[in-house]
Amino acid sequence: MVLKTFGWSFAVTALGLVAAVFYGGWTAFGLVAILSILEVSLSFDNAVVNAGVLKKMSEFWQKIFLTIGILIAVFGMRLVFPVVIVSITAQLGPIEAIDLALTDHARYEELVTDAHPAIAAFGGMFLLMIFLDFIFEDRDIKWLAWLERPLAKLGKIDMLAACVALIILLITATTFAVHAHQYGGVHVDKSSTVLLAGVAGLVTYMVVGGLSGFFEDKLEEEEEREHEAEEEAKRAGKPLSAAKLVGKAAFFMFMYLEVLDASFSFDGVIGAFAVSNDPVVIALGLGIGAMYVRSLTVYLVRQGTLDDYVYLEHGAHYAIGALAAILLITIQYEVPEVVTGLIGVALIAWSFWSSVRRNQRLRVPEEKEEVLAAKEV
């Protein structure tokens, strides 16, 4: 199972490390290895959230996620995206931007860093909406009940998540303007850039998430119509498997996953420049890491891990909230990548440990019943 799921990741790792040696020697080999580990540590929560969405999709769309999706993740976000950002912010043509990336690494890094406020605002708002929609939803299973119960009651207010997100965006943009003004920066341009990018992130979330939700609801309506037929099949001894998302519903869910992955990758792409400013090394390292995140997502789906450890999804969404906050903070202040990674890993490890304890508590009554039944016999 492990080899089948992670086989491609192992192969890409070997090819990527060999390519790194040919490209820049053993120094590049070490940098690519470090970047790969960095990407996996930062994106474990991404895999957990992706698994929660992917398990609703058909096997065909799961394969699309692993093939076309990985091409978008590796080449699109890790290689093309920084070049596009440089091209837009520096008002360069695509060819000029690529030439700059390959010939003047220091200037390339500077331009990507200058674009960080817009990138962080877009990704931070997209991830913040995911977190807010999760904590404001009333769920049967609650992890931190003391916090989630009152938030679920507040969530009954229409559009609360969007209102909270917009207030946070306004505070962020205003604070950034004041900060830039104090230090002699061009605060008007930067604050407006942060505001526009944040609104774009919010709109992207609402459009992609709304469309995927709309088609998912349509699919559920069709499932209800077929309910009687399913019951008859079960009575006949031929139970039907749970319906999976297909067609338009799966397509928009796939698009949602890709935008989600892009938002998760923003901090990794920017943070990678702390390790290396060579775009080829960054693409190789983050690409290898992205492969493992994809494989881990599929592994979680096929193993049913989210069903066995019910708080994992909660932990991942709290990690998303932390990452959203960190992205918005990094508009003004530098946050070490190790802090970002450790917060996410700590929250997921805590939720996993809570899930294990819950399973143990549920298992005790079952064991007592088995003992009593054995005594009666």
Side-chain angles (χ1 to χ4, degrees), residues 113-153:
T113 303
D114 287 343
H116 176 69
I119 298 170
F122 181 93
M125 290 302 295
F126 187 90
L127 294 177
L128 181 62
M129 281 299 298
I130 294 172
F131 170 67
L132 292 175
D133 273 348
F134 182 85
I135 62 171
F136 284 144
E137 183 177 346
D138 190 10
R139 300 177 180 278
D140 295 333
I141 296 176
K142 295 178 176 62
W143 178 32
L144 305 179
W146 58 271
L147 176 63
E148 293 174 10
R149 282 199 183 99
L151 288 176
K153 291 179 180 178

Side-chain angles (χ1 to χ4, degrees), residues 28 76 83 98 113 249 300 367 370 375:
V83 175
I98 293 172
T113 303
L300 292 173
E367 291 175 352
E370 291 177 0
K375 287 181 179 180

Side-chain angles (χ1 to χ4, degrees), residues 257-276:
L257 277 175
E258 292 306 312
V259 177
L260 177 63
D261 179 76
S263 299
F264 269 101
S265 68
F266 288 150
D267 65 320
V269 171
I270 299 299
F273 284 100
V275 179
S276 171

